[in-house]
Amino acid sequence: MRESRYPVGSASPMSYAWFVEEYRRDSDLIGVTFVRGLSPEGALRRIGATPGDISREVGIAAYAGDGGAVLIDYHCWPLPESLSQGTEMARVVTGDTIDEHFVYSADGVVITSFEPYFPGDREGSEPDRLLSHMQDLGMRLDGEADPRTRLALAIALAGRSTGVTLTPAHYAAEPTVGSID
C-alpha cells in the first residue's frame, strides 16, 4: 500500500464536529473538498470558476486552510478530477436526499472512493491506500457506519489524506467565491 507523498494531517472526528453542526444549520446538502497546496483562487480556477464571479448556476466558497484550500458548495455538483492534477484532493458529498460519497484523488486519478455509510466497500485504483488512516480514525470497515459519526469521520479522513486543515478560524474568514455551470 502506497502512502501519500505529502505529509498528512492529524485530524480526528472531533476536529470537524463543529463543521458538521454548522453545515446542518445551513443546508441538507453539502460538498466539501480539501485540496493540497492550492490557494482558494487557484482551486477555483482549476474547476473553471472565476474568483469573485457568482453569475453562474453553482456557487462555491473557497477557504484558505492550513496546507491548501477547502471548497464548499451546497449543490454537490461533481468537481473535475483535474482539480487533483499535480496534487491531492478529497471530496465528501452528503445530504438527506442524495447518495453520500467520499473520493480521494491524486494526479487526476481516483485512488479511493466509498460511501461514508459503508467505508469497508471501497473502489478506485488503490482502494486500500487510506486504510491505515481509516483504521486509526476508528472507521467501521466491517459493516454499516454509525450514522452519528460517519460524516465527521469522512471529513477528518479528507483532511488527513490531503494534509489540509480547516479550523473554525479559517471558516470564519471571508471566503473567496466563484461559480460554475
Side-chain angles (χ1 to χ4, degrees):
M1 172 174 58
R2 194 178 113 209
E3 290 295 324
S4 169
R5 65 181 171 191
Y6 299 104
V8 295
S10 60
S12 72
M14 291 308 298
S15 302
Y16 291 101
W18 66 270
F19 181 79
V20 172
E21 290 304 313
E22 187 75 25
Y23 114 78
R24 286 190 173 141
R25 279 194 288 260
D26 294 337
S27 178
D28 64 346
L29 299 173
I30 192 169
V32 58
T33 307
F34 291 68
V35 187
R36 172 94 179 144
L38 293 182
S39 68
E41 297 81 7
L44 287 172
R45 284 188 197 96
R46 279 210 186 176
I47 61 171
T50 301
D53 176 11
I54 55 170
S55 65
R56 296 173 8 191
E57 185 177 339
V58 178
I60 298 177
Y63 294 85
D66 291 335
V70 179
L71 307 177
I72 299 173
D73 63 279
Y74 292 99
H75 292 75
C76 302
W77 199 266
L79 296 181
E81 296 308 321
S82 62
L83 184 57
S84 70
Q85 198 62 45
T87 190
E88 297 173 303
M89 69 168 248
R91 179 158 170 82
V92 178
V93 173
T94 186
D96 296 335
T97 60
I98 62 170
D99 290 335
E100 296 181 330
H101 67 270
F102 173 96
V103 177
Y104 167 77
S105 301
D107 292 322
V109 175
V110 174
I111 304 298
T112 304
S113 67
F114 60 88
E115 292 179 37
Y117 270 112
F118 301 101
D121 187 16
R122 296 175 303 284
E123 297 178 342
S125 64
E126 294 180 57
D128 290 339
R129 185 185 293 187
L130 304 179
L131 189 57
S132 63
H133 295 301
M134 296 171 80
Q135 291 168 329
D136 188 51
L137 285 167
M139 292 181 116
R140 186 167 177 192
L141 302 173
D142 61 351
E144 190 169 326
D146 184 334
R148 297 167 298 176
T149 59
R150 78 189 183 293
L151 182 55
L153 283 166
I155 294 171
L157 180 62
R160 275 191 182 199
S161 63
T162 61
V164 178
T165 304
L166 180 71
T167 65
H170 295 127
Y171 190 71
E174 191 68 29
T176 301
V177 296
S179 59
I180 58 174
D181 292 327

